[in-house]
Amino acid sequence: MLASAADVAWGGAPRVSIRPTARAGDFHKRAVKGADALIAAARLGGKVAFVVADAKTGLILEAANPVLPQPPACVTKTITSLYALDTLGAGFRFKTRLMATGPVVNGRLKGDLVLVGGGDPTLDTDDLADMAAALKQAGVHEVSGKFKVNSSALPFIKQIDKSQPDYLGYNPAVCGLNLNFNRVHFEWKRSASGYDVAMDARTKKYRPSVRIAKMRVVDRDLPIYTYKDSGGVDNWTVARRALGRNGSRWLPVRKPHLYAAEVFQTMARSQGISLPRAVEAKGATKGTVLVEHKSDELQVLLKALLKFSNNMTAEAIGMTASAARGGTGGSLKASAKKMTDWTVSHTGARKSKFVDHSGLGTGSRLTAGDMVSALVRQGPNGSLAHLLKPIALRDANGRVIKEHPIKVHAKTGTLNFVSNLAGYVTAPDGTQLAFAMFMADERRRAGVAKSDREAPQGAKSWNKAAKRLQQALIERWATLYGT
């Protein structure tokens, strides 16, 4: 009875209803986690550097370690693209030619036939098949002289980065005559007598076998692959226990000009044109152009480069640009030095250093501040922005969030324990930002044995954590700096 008659004061209940306090208009911004907290939560180790700026004015909005030189990895390809556009022009096309040193009389070429490379990084088996057919249409049915191959348009680079394992397909040779991204297709299948293996130059239409690269299956546990240059042939061995029932993979080619010559011989033979074994020619080829194959325009090649990040393509394009500026000095290092000098003079980057054009070599360095400076100079609607690929934002389970209000166009860069991202962000309100993020644990990277560099322990999970951090920073910036 007493409880039912109790006054509200007994329970301390308010006599006047409390009104909630209105939140400030920028509460959603103040609720965003700080960059330091996000970096700490990622637990990457090593160093994290980033800069984000207004893409139109260049005003720096937020930064961490902005002048710390970090390995740029494949973000290097954005600089290579700018370098090539400025030097060669968006409409530049690579040319691969068949030239004759003598006249064609009654279907017989009285002289040498020369396959002349122009550095085209996209030439493939299908293109050589078309060139062989065009040679026949040009009236050539027989060659009385030699069949020569000329790859002197670019320096010969046996491999992009010597510190990488020999068998990695993304680290091939590069020269003035390239084919199928300078990779050969290795395929195996278990049989009653052991394994049937094949080495071919396959593309969409064709898969001609090649002799320039050979494979032998041997009984051992490790190493999985060995390589030896012997008699002008890429000789490979593979550990039997590593093969399983069947499978395939791409291996690098170390003599791409001879690889292309052999495949062209096969395609010419299919047209009824028999060619002798190829011999190398150096210097400028004088004669008549019988057939000419042109690549797509440079801007098309660069868009594919920034999407698929092929290292050989980057090196061929970069060295071609350097050659157009007065020679490469006969080496990839000299060509990269030319690009370094260009970067300083054209973007204001003061601490840049490149040892190649792809970012595969670990000696390259770039700061987040310098990268953003280059992006701001180009602008969010400039030539580079239109070449960058869209980067999808994902939910906590890794699924792509469709129709996400934040739009990102950027270039990724990944090495073991290195993860980078640089490009442009468009916030939901249309605000455009330029950003660069370089994340690297160089001490951990240096501790990886050469034999383990294809997939070292812990690298995959580290990379996932880095990508989550990158997205968290992008979401932070879009929220804070969108008007």
Side-chain angles (χ1 to χ4, degrees):
M1 290 176 62
L2 288 172
S4 64
D7 187 88
V8 290
W10 287 19
R15 296 181 179 276
V16 179
S17 176
I18 298 175
R19 295 184 179 181
T21 303
R23 291 177 174 178
D26 64 346
F27 178 80
H28 66 294
K29 295 186 177 184
R30 287 190 286 153
V32 174
K33 287 186 178 181
D36 289 344
L38 293 174
I39 293 170
R43 298 181 179 179
L44 293 179
K47 299 288 186 180
V48 174
F50 69 76
V51 172
V52 59
D54 185 294
K56 295 180 179 179
T57 67
L59 176 67
I60 302 297
L61 303 172
E62 191 169 302
N65 297 316
V67 296
L68 175 68
Q70 293 268 67
C74 290
V75 171
T76 301
K77 295 179 175 73
T78 60
I79 302 297
T80 300
S81 297
L82 293 174
Y83 178 56
L85 285 171
D86 183 65
T87 306
L88 303 172
F92 174 84
R93 293 175 184 263
F94 290 91
K95 298 175 182 178
T96 306
R97 293 169 169 167
L98 287 169
M99 298 184 66
T101 63
V104 178
V105 180
N106 297 324
R108 182 182 176 86
L109 170 56
K110 294 186 175 182
D112 300 332
L113 179 68
V114 189
L115 176 60
V116 183
D120 186 355
T122 61
L123 188 74
D124 65 15
T125 298
D126 294 349
D127 297 327
L128 291 184
D130 291 342
M131 291 182 72
L135 182 64
K136 182 178 180 180
Q137 291 175 357
V140 176
H141 301 284
E142 185 181 359
V143 176
S144 64
K146 297 178 179 180
F147 172 45
K148 296 182 177 181
V149 57
N150 190 326
S151 62
S152 59
L154 296 177
F156 176 78
I157 310 300
K158 189 173 183 180
Q159 56 191 59
I160 299 169
D161 180 17
K162 295 180 181 179
S163 71
Q164 301 288 337
D166 288 330
Y167 60 87
L168 296 181
Y170 56 73
N171 186 34
V174 188
C175 69
L177 181 58
N178 308 293
L179 185 71
N180 300 335
F181 302 110
N182 294 345
R183 301 178 305 175
V184 63
H185 190 261
F186 164 46
E187 187 171 24
W188 65 90
K189 186 175 182 179
R190 185 178 291 167
S191 65
S193 59
Y195 280 96
D196 293 328
V197 300
M199 304 287 272
D200 62 60
R202 68 178 55 189
T203 46
K204 293 180 180 178
K205 296 181 181 178
Y206 308 98
R207 54 176 64 183
S209 297
V210 296
R211 299 182 302 276
I212 192 68
K214 296 181 179 180
M215 178 63 72
R216 185 165 56 92
V217 180
V218 298
D219 285 316
R220 66 167 182 259
D221 292 323
L222 292 172
I224 296 176
Y225 290 95
T226 68
Y227 169 79
K228 184 179 181 180
D229 180 352
S230 177
V233 175
D234 290 339
N235 284 287
W236 296 93
T237 70
V238 62
R240 185 184 305 274
R241 292 179 179 83
L243 293 181
R245 186 173 183 81
N246 56 65
S248 65
R249 72 171 293 157
W250 291 96
L251 292 172
V253 168
R254 300 296 177 211
K255 301 173 180 62
H257 56 307
L258 298 180
Y259 176 52
E262 182 184 352
V263 172
F264 180 76
Q265 280 180 304
T266 301
M267 295 304 164
R269 189 163 54 247
S270 71
Q271 296 292 333
I273 306 170
S274 180
L275 298 175
R277 184 171 180 173
V279 295
E280 295 185 53
K282 297 182 180 180
T285 297
K286 296 181 180 179
T288 304
V289 177
L290 299 177
V291 178
E292 181 176 83
H293 169 78
K294 293 183 179 180
S295 72
D296 287 333
E297 292 185 346
L298 180 63
Q299 59 186 346
V300 176
L301 303 187
L302 293 178
K303 192 172 184 68
L305 171 65
L306 296 178
K307 180 178 181 180
F308 299 109
S309 208
N310 184 273
N311 293 326
M312 196 281 296
T313 300
E315 303 303 352
I317 289 175
M319 287 196 292
T320 299
S322 292
R325 287 181 173 268
T328 62
S331 71
L332 177 57
K333 183 178 180 180
S335 179
K337 175 63 166 57
K338 279 185 174 289
M339 189 171 81
T340 299
D341 295 341
W342 177 91
T343 305
V344 172
S345 63
H346 286 71
T347 70
R350 299 299 174 186
K351 293 193 174 183
S352 300
K353 177 187 176 182
F354 301 105
V355 299
D356 56 33
H357 303 286
S358 64
L360 185 59
T362 55
S364 292
R365 290 293 182 271
L366 186 61
T367 73
D370 284 348
M371 186 68 238
V372 167
S373 175
L375 291 168
V376 169
R377 288 198 179 200
Q378 284 292 305
N381 298 309
S383 57
L384 180 62
H386 294 297
L387 298 176
L388 294 171
K389 69 177 181 180
I391 302 295
L393 299 186
R394 300 174 181 272
D395 64 19
N397 295 315
R399 294 185 294 255
V400 172
I401 304 172
K402 296 181 179 180
E403 304 301 325
H404 197 291
I406 301 172
K407 305 301 180 186
V408 182
H409 287 79
K411 180 71 188 80
T412 59
T414 304
L415 294 169
N416 294 329
F417 303 106
V418 174
S419 183
N420 305 327
L421 191 66
Y424 301 96
V425 172
T426 302
D429 69 338
T431 298
Q432 293 176 309
L433 308 172
F435 73 93
M437 292 182 273
F438 295 147
M439 304 171 181
D441 189 339
E442 294 196 74
R443 183 176 180 180
R444 192 170 179 184
R445 174 175 169 75
V448 178
K450 183 176 181 178
S451 59
D452 295 332
R453 288 177 186 173
E454 184 174 20
Q457 185 176 6
K460 187 175 181 180
S461 60
W462 188 95
N463 185 258
K464 286 183 177 180
K467 289 187 179 301
R468 287 194 295 269
L469 173 57
Q470 290 161 8
Q471 177 166 321
L473 288 170
I474 286 171
E475 290 171 334
R476 166 184 166 77
W477 299 331
T479 301
L480 284 180
Y481 306 118
T483 57

